[in-house]
Amino acid sequence: MKPYHVDDVLITPRQLSQRVDELAHEMAAGIHSDNLVVIGILRGSFIFLADLVRWCSMNDVHPRIDFMIMESYGSGTKPFQEPQVSRDCSIDVTDADVVVVDDILDTGRTLKKAVAHLKAKGARTVRTCVLLDKPARRIVPCQADYCGFTIPDEFVVGYGLDYDGRYRELPHIAKVTFIEPTS
Ligand code: 5GP
Ligand code: MG
């Protein structure tokens, strides 16, 4: 693995909590359903989703919450295959209004596949919510209904996002800088 360091804070914990709060209010104002299901895409969305769904209780909304695992990345920073649903959600989404929550929208393949998958399972509507968006990397046309931050084309970690399985626990979003060998 190339040498790297994780020092540059791109988004602070305070910025994250303010923006997640705003997103929660946007969603509370825009989503009215008696059959709301929130599906997080693991593993990167777990902290974001946990913070985001707290608006539900404040607004007397009681969604069912589940997760699915989608994988397209190996141990590096480049996708090596089409994303696959490697563990499906277990609750029935038939006729439900689903909100899919992911950590980051990059090429667009994961979110597009997740939406198609949930529609095929019978969801009535499928909305999308991502913490981060890297529009410069888009390959498949895809736009999230709710988005926390638009970021430049950098590989980032923290607040659920990993590099090689690590750094998910960081309370901020940090940039990974890869050190090119000299000589
Ligand atoms: P997409 O299918 O849109 O290319 O990729 C989405 C998935 O790629 C995300 O759910 C995330 O797991 C991973 N990903 C894309 N960019 C980054 C990044 O900058 N940092 C990390 N840790 N994961 C990323
Ligand atoms: Mg992911």
Side-chain angles (χ1 to χ4, degrees):
M1 196 186 292
K2 247 192 217 172
Y4 67 94
H5 66 85
V6 179
D7 298 326
D8 304 319
V9 177
L10 211 63
I11 307 173
T12 65
R14 176 187 275 267
Q15 289 171 316
L16 284 167
S17 93
Q18 278 174 355
R19 185 64 190 126
V20 172
D21 199 49
E22 285 170 12
L23 270 183
H25 280 91
E26 275 177 45
M27 290 171 73
I31 302 176
H32 303 281
S33 170
D34 55 4
N35 189 5
L36 183 63
V37 171
V38 177
I39 306 266
I41 299 181
L42 291 175
R43 300 175 183 82
S45 72
F46 77 107
I47 296 180
F48 176 43
L49 182 141
D51 284 346
L52 190 66
V53 293
R54 289 170 215 215
W55 65 269
C56 294
S57 63
M58 287 177 249
N59 291 279
D60 207 21
V61 174
H62 304 290
R64 289 177 294 156
I65 299 174
D66 202 354
F67 295 91
M68 54 194 215
I69 301 182
M70 299 196 58
E71 285 167 312
S72 62
Y73 274 63
S75 59
T77 58
K78 296 276 184 279
F80 64 91
Q81 60 176 31
E82 278 297 302
Q84 309 286 337
V85 178
S86 57
R87 181 214 175 263
D88 205 349
C89 56
S90 47
I91 59 177
D92 184 6
V93 297
T94 309
D95 295 330
D97 296 302
V98 174
V99 180
V100 192
V101 177
D102 203 2
D103 51 2
I104 185 164
L105 182 52
D106 186 31
T107 65
R109 289 189 176 113
T110 302
L111 210 55
K112 194 166 179 220
K113 176 101 184 209
V115 170
H117 178 76
L118 290 159
K119 282 192 175 152
K121 282 166 74 78
R124 181 166 52 195
T125 61
V126 182
R127 292 181 179 84
T128 52
C129 175
V130 296
L131 177 70
L132 306 172
D133 184 6
K134 284 198 281 196
R137 297 247 317 152
R138 200 78 84 253
I139 290 173
V140 176
C142 184
Q143 204 180 339
D145 297 303
Y146 301 93
C147 170
F149 301 87
T150 299
I151 61 166
D153 183 9
E154 305 280 1
F155 195 81
V156 294
V157 292
Y159 197 67
L161 291 102
D162 74 305
Y163 179 51
D164 201 24
R166 297 179 197 275
Y167 305 106
R168 295 190 195 277
E169 75 288 355
L170 296 178
H172 54 267
I173 298 286
K175 183 176 132 179
V176 179
T177 304
F178 297 95
I179 301 152
E180 296 300 334
T182 48
S183 87

